[in-house]
Amino acid sequence: MAGRADSTVLAGARVVLPTGTVENGRVIVEGTRIAGAAAEGAPTADLSGHWVVPGFVDMHNHGGGGASFTSGTVDEVLTGIRTHREHGTTTLVASTVTGEMDFLAHRAGVLSELVEQGDLAGIHFEGPFISPCRKGAHSEELLRDPDPAEVRKLMDAARGTAKMFTLATELPGGIDSVRLLAEHGIIAAIGHTDATYEQTVEAIDAGATVATHLFNAMPPLAHREPGPIAALLEDERITVELINDGTHLHPAALQLAYHHAGAHRVALITDAMDAAGFGDGLYQLGPLAVEVKDGVARLVEGNSIAGSTLTLDTAFHRAVTVDRIPVGDVVQSISANPARLLGVYDRVGSLEPGKDADLVVLDADFGLKGVMRKGEWIKEPQIG
């Protein structure tokens, strides 16, 4: 696609800003950043009839384009990153799955280099510190309790690029691990957990701030045993991840989360695996075989859902058109909130002067038409 222009004015679109939607708005791009004023004679692209929203921020993603972030080569990981960029995700955290500790430490080293060169926004360790009762698509024989010493081993292997750990905080060492992560500014996320309501409250008080794919891989909400879902939804300190692919959540569950937590506490994620943007077939998720059929990924043995094939442009489209979530709320959930959690909101997550020129162009029906990252078109909109 076309490369970077020194100065470009994107005009005529509905532009979604933190303060609201501007009709017939414009976004000025200078080099890699959004500018407050355009240079004299700057070319103008007419985006009338379109939306311009911030680039999407995915804080939970295992791969795409046929490539795995857990086991792929550097080139394969870059293929997965490019695949998601083409679908609007301009900021991406690479998530691992449960494996041997030495293997995970090695992967942390590989992925950290991609963080350091700006291709990834960080690393998310999902497993091995999770409950065998709620393991989902994780290998049970490789699970272990969240020993703070082992958590620190992975933190050290990531060389300062670890952004999040998903933990079953009710397990031995769980609360101490939460405190360790909080002390180091790393997100402690509660997930793949069999915790009670009370145990979840204890973990939140210790410093946990995220619910890993709320509703999935945790006890269901019940009227006498509300479990983790009630504790996570009710606490203003928690941001809840939601996988809006139509498979992981019933629309009523998504509505419940938005209604109870509010858009400011929702992060739309993909939880994508290799097949995202690639197609049906047989895949590996860590050591486990996965079959993707009709876009739904399930373990070959046991039939558990094994991540998703979701891309965030589809999640955005579904949230607006099927779930009827207001556009501004969806933008908050898919860009601003995860950017804040990851500590990068000073650079991405909204269309404001001085920030990276990361943006997505959507048509009137919220179909993806263009993607820009740091002032360069990844996918250039074909207008007219």
Side-chain angles (χ1 to χ4, degrees), residues 22-373:
V22 178
E23 301 285 343
N24 194 26
R26 64 182 199 157
V27 178
I28 301 164
V29 177
E30 286 278 1
T32 64
R33 297 184 182 276
I34 297 170
E40 186 176 349
T44 297
D46 183 6
L47 296 179
S48 298
H50 291 71
W51 293 82
V52 176
V53 300
F56 307 147
V57 180
D58 194 354
M59 57 188 283
H60 187 156
N61 187 314
H62 299 278
S68 168
F69 297 153
T70 296
S71 58
T73 65
V74 168
D75 284 345
E76 288 169 341
V77 173
L78 288 170
T79 294
I81 293 169
R82 281 194 299 271
T83 297
H84 285 284
R85 282 182 186 167
E86 290 167 357
H87 289 273
T89 297
T90 51
T91 302
L92 178 68
V93 170
S95 301
T96 63
V97 295
T98 294
E100 296 282 2
M101 285 294 296
D102 288 345
F103 175 77
L104 290 174
H106 171 72
R107 288 305 297 176
V110 172
L111 294 171
S112 66
E113 293 183 10
L114 293 173
V115 178
E116 289 159 3
Q117 66 189 38
D119 292 297
L120 291 170
I123 303 170
H124 163 217
F125 293 97
E126 187 179 22
F129 309 117
I130 61 176
S131 172
C133 302
R134 304 287 174 178
K135 64 182 183 296
H138 291 256
S139 177
E140 185 166 352
E141 59 266 26
L142 297 176
L143 300 182
R144 52 214 300 134
D145 291 338
D147 180 346
E150 294 198 317
V151 171
R152 182 179 284 278
K153 176 180 178 178
L154 294 184
M155 287 168 50
D156 291 344
R159 304 198 303 263
T161 66
K163 288 289 187 179
M164 183 163 68
F165 280 72
T166 291
L167 311 170
T169 53
E170 76 278 9
L171 296 176
I175 297 300
D176 287 340
S177 293
V178 169
R179 293 194 181 105
L180 171 67
L181 292 167
E183 286 168 6
H184 287 81
I186 299 171
I187 297 166
I190 300 171
H192 287 276
T193 175
D194 203 42
T196 63
Y197 174 89
E198 291 76 16
Q199 289 170 326
T200 306
V201 169
E202 182 184 10
I204 297 169
D205 287 342
T209 55
V210 166
T212 293
H213 44 53
L214 185 74
F215 300 108
N216 295 108
M218 58 182 64
L221 184 66
H223 62 293
R224 281 192 291 271
E225 295 181 7
I229 293 172
L232 295 164
L233 278 177
E234 74 182 7
D235 199 302
E236 282 290 322
R237 293 171 289 183
I238 293 291
T239 298
V240 297
E241 294 182 345
L242 299 176
I243 309 170
N244 193 24
D245 61 352
T247 298
H248 281 79
L249 295 175
H250 189 284
L254 182 126
Q255 290 284 354
L256 174 67
Y258 265 96
H259 177 76
H260 204 76
H264 67 290
R265 288 180 46 219
V266 171
L268 292 176
I269 61 162
T270 61
D271 194 18
M273 45 80 72
D274 314 15
F278 201 67
D280 289 357
L282 292 173
Y283 296 86
Q284 287 290 127
L285 188 61
L288 302 178
V290 175
E291 181 178 15
V292 178
K293 185 176 181 181
D294 298 328
V296 178
R298 293 186 180 275
L299 292 182
V300 172
E301 292 188 15
N303 208 38
S304 291
I305 295 176
S308 84
T309 62
L310 185 63
T311 52
L312 281 181
D313 58 328
T314 299
F316 190 111
H317 184 272
R318 182 179 176 85
V320 175
T321 63
V322 176
D323 303 305
R324 303 297 180 183
I325 306 296
V327 175
D329 288 353
V330 178
V331 167
Q332 193 173 7
S333 302
I334 211 165
S335 299
N337 296 344
R340 285 194 184 94
L341 282 166
L342 297 172
V344 295
Y345 189 67
D346 60 323
R347 303 195 309 274
V348 301
S350 66
L351 300 176
E352 297 177 273
K355 291 195 175 186
D356 289 349
D358 290 3
L359 57 87
V360 174
V361 180
L362 305 168
D363 64 20
D365 297 319
F366 302 100
L368 185 82
K369 290 299 178 182
V371 182
M372 178 182 282
R373 184 175 187 269

